[in-house]
Amino acid sequence: MKKKVAQKVLGLSASVLLAGSFSLANAETIKIAIAGPQTGDVAQYGDMQVIGAEMAVEQINAAGGVNGDKIEAIRYDDACEPKQAVAVANKIVNDGIKFVVGHLCSGSTQPASDVYEDEGILAISPASTNPEITQRGYKMIFRTIGLDSHQGPTAGRYIADKIKPSKVAVIHDKQQYGEGIATAVKKTLEEKGVNVALFEGVNKGDKDFSPLIAKLQKEKVDFVYYGGYHPELGQMLRQAAEKGFKAKFMGPEGVGNKDISQIAGDASEGLLVTLPPAFDQRPENKDLVQAFKDKSEDPSGAFVMTSYAAVKVIADAVAATKSQDTDAIQEYLRSHTFKTPMGEISFDDKGDLKGFDFEVYTWHADGSKSSVN
Amino acid sequence: MLEVTLYFVQQLINGITIGSTYALIAIGYTMVYGIIGMINFAHGEVYMIGTYIAFMAITGLSMLGIEFLPIVFAVALISSMLVSSTFGLAIERVAYRPLRGGNRLIPLISAIGMSFFLQNYVRISQGARDIAMPSVVTGGWNFGPEHGFQASISYMQIIIFIATFISMTALTLFISRSRLGRACRATAQDLKMAGLLGINTNNVIAATFVIGAALAAVAGTLLGMYYGVANAYIGFLAGLKAFTAAVLGGIGSLPGAMLGGLILGISESMTAAYFSTEYKDVVSFGLLVLILLFKPTGILGKPEVEKI
C-alpha cells in the first residue's frame, strides 16, 4: 500500500517537473551571455559591463520584451584570462546561447571569438579595442567601441599638439591590448617628431617599479604614456610620487577606473586618460542615468553605455528579423542603424562602429574625470 | 660621473628594498626545508594573509581615528604576525604532521592543496576584488645636485630596511643563543637523534613553521604598506620569488636565504636599470640556473651528507 502511494507521489512530482519544463520552453526567452571579468584585478570593468547590460535587459523586458519574448542575461566570468575565456566560450556553446555581450579584455576576446565564429554565435564586445579582433574577416564578431588604431593617434596627437613634451617614454604591459595601443601611440608621436626616448615592457602583475622610475628620472623624461590596465599604472603613479618624479602620465581607457585613485591616491590627480565620450552626460540620456542612480549604480563607467548599446542592438535586430538566426542578424547589423544611448550607431563590414572617437579626459584624485576641452 | 654613480646607488637601494623582503619570505622556506627536508608550498599564502591582516589593522585604526605612525605600524605588525603564525601552526598540524614519515611527495601535494584552499578561502571571505589602501608613510630624502639626477630613498624604504634588519638579527640571535634555537639546530642535523636525546621534535618543527610564518607576516605588512594593494593571489608570485631566493642561497641555510634574497632583488633592479624591465625575471631565473649548474647546492648550501 505504502509503495503505491510513493509511486503516485513520484509520478505526480514527475508530471509537475515535466509541466514545468514545458512552460519554460513555451515562453521563449532570448538568452544573452555577459562574458567578462567578474573576478580578478580588472573586475571593475566587468561591473560596468554587467550594470549596463542588465539595465538594458531590464528596460527592454519592462517595455514588453522582444516581440513578446523576454531577454535573459547570464553572467560568465573569464577573469580577463585568455585561457579561461576559451573555456567560457565553450561553456556558452554548450549552454545553447546564441548571443554574447563580451568579452572585455582584448586578450580574452581574441581567442574566444574563434569559438563564436565557428559555432555561429553572435558576439558584441563593448570594450575590446585591439584592432586585430575584427581584422580577420569574421562575420559574427562586432564591437560597440572604437579601436586602438584610433585611440592611439588621438592620444598621440594630444600629446604632440597640446602637451609638447621634450622627452617621452612609452611603457606597456606586453599584453595584446597594452602593447597594441602603446605601439600606436609611439608611431603617432614619431610621425609628429616627438622624441620617444624609451619604449619598454613591464610584467603584468608586477608591483615594484622603482628601478623603472629611477631610469625615467635619469633619462629626464617629462611625459609617460602607459599602455595597459590600472593596477600597474596605479603602482607606477604611487611610486613616482614617492620618488618625487614629476612627469605627466597618460593611459588608455583600461586605466580609467576609480580604483586607480584608490591605489595611487593624490598621485592620480591630473592623469590623462583617453575614454569613450561621457555618454552619461548627454541630455538625451537623462532618464536612463536617473534609472541607474535609482538602483544606486554608477552610469559614468566607460563601458556602461557601450554594454547597454550592445544588448539594445541585439534586441533590435532580433525584433526586426523575427528570428534568432545569427546569420540573418549579422547581415541586419551590417546594413542598419540603431538608436542607442551612444546615439545612432551603425557597423561597417568588419563589425566595427562607424565614426566612433575617443576623447581625452583629466582624471582626479577623487575618482572623477573632466574633459580637457 | 656623479650622475652615473648616483643612478647606480639608486638602483642598489631599490634592489636591496625588494631583495630584503624576498629574504624575509625565503627564511620560511629554508627553515622548514632545513629541518624536515620538505618545501612548504603554502608559505606564500601565509605572506598574503599577513598583508590582509595588516590592511585590516590599519583600516581599523584609521576608523578609530588613530593615525600616529608608530602605533599604527606596531599594531599592524603584531596583529599580522599573530594571525599568520596561527595559520603557520595550523598548516603544520593539518597538512604536514599527519603525513610525516611517509613518502616525501605526499606532504608536497597536501601543501599545494593547502595553498589552493587558503587562496580560495581568502577570496571567498574577503571578496575577489583587489583591495587598495592609500600610503601611510609618504615622503623621503633626496640627495644629489639640485638640477640633475637625484637619488632618493623614501621613508617607507628606510622602514623596510630597518624592520628587515631587526627581524634578521633577532632570528640569528634566537637560533644561535636560545634553548629552542639550539634544539632547532640539533633537529636540523638529525631529527631522530635529537628525539632520542630528549628534544620534543614535534614542538621544534611546529616552532619553525611559526617563525617562518611570523617573518612572512613582517614581509606582508611591509610590502602591503609599500604597495598599498593586495588580492588573494599575491602569495603565488611572492612565494615563487622567495623560493628562488632560498634555492639560490642554498636551501636549508639561513644566511643563504638572506644572501639569495638580496642577490635576486639587486639583479632584478640592475636588469631593469641597465637593460630592460621586461627581462628582469628572465635574468634572475637565468642566474638561478647558472648558479645551480656550477654549485648545485646553492651559494651557501652544504652538500647533503647521506645520513646513516
Side-chain angles (χ1 to χ4, degrees), chain B residues 20 22 27 35 54 57 88 121 127 142 165 171 183 206 247 275 308:
Chain B
S20 49
Y22 288 158
I27 297 280
I35 290 188
Y121 161 69
N142 291 327
F165 183 75
L171 178 73
V247 174
F275 193 39
I308 306 165

Side-chain angles (χ1 to χ4, degrees), chain A residues 38-39 41 43 47 174 200-201 203 206-208 210-212 214-215 218 220 235 238-239 243 263, chain B residues 7 10-11 14 129-130 133 135 149 152 157 225-229 234 272-273 275-278 280-281:
Chain A
Q38 259 116 55
T39 59
D41 55 3
D47 283 352
K174 297 195 279 184
E200 199 163 301
N203 298 324
D206 247 2
K207 293 225 172 63
D208 187 46
S210 47
L212 177 68
K215 197 173 186 175
K218 191 184 128 232
K220 299 191 180 62
Q235 216 49 256
R238 184 180 169 122
Q239 289 166 25
K243 294 284 184 185
I263 300 169
Chain B
Y7 183 60
Q10 174 72 79
Q11 298 297 7
N14 294 336
R129 301 300 161 81
D130 283 24
M133 190 181 66
S135 315
F149 182 76
S152 67
Q157 286 182 317
M225 287 169 77
Y226 188 42
Y227 296 141
V229 282
I234 55 172
F275 193 39
S276 171
T277 315
E278 49 204 318
K280 65 177 199 182
D281 288 356

Side-chain angles (χ1 to χ4, degrees), chain A residues 8 12 115 132 151 180 210 230 288:
Chain A
K8 262 190 184 163
L12 199 67
V115 178
E132 177 72 21
Q151 184 174 198
S210 47
H230 66 275
L288 179 58

Side-chain angles (χ1 to χ4, degrees), chain A residues 27-93:
Chain A
E28 183 113 7
T29 55
I30 301 161
K31 287 185 183 168
I32 298 181
I34 305 176
Q38 259 116 55
T39 59
D41 55 3
V42 294
Q44 293 78 5
Y45 301 117
D47 283 352
M48 297 176 186
Q49 177 196 25
V50 164
I51 65 167
E54 288 187 346
M55 177 61 80
V57 170
E58 198 183 303
Q59 291 194 340
I60 292 166
N61 284 344
V66 178
N67 297 337
D69 297 336
K70 297 280 184 221
I71 303 179
E72 189 191 350
I74 304 157
R75 299 181 195 179
Y76 291 86
D77 179 17
D78 71 5
C80 191
E81 280 174 15
K83 262 186 267 170
Q84 201 166 326
V86 175
V88 161
N90 285 321
K91 179 131 204 320
I92 290 171
V93 173

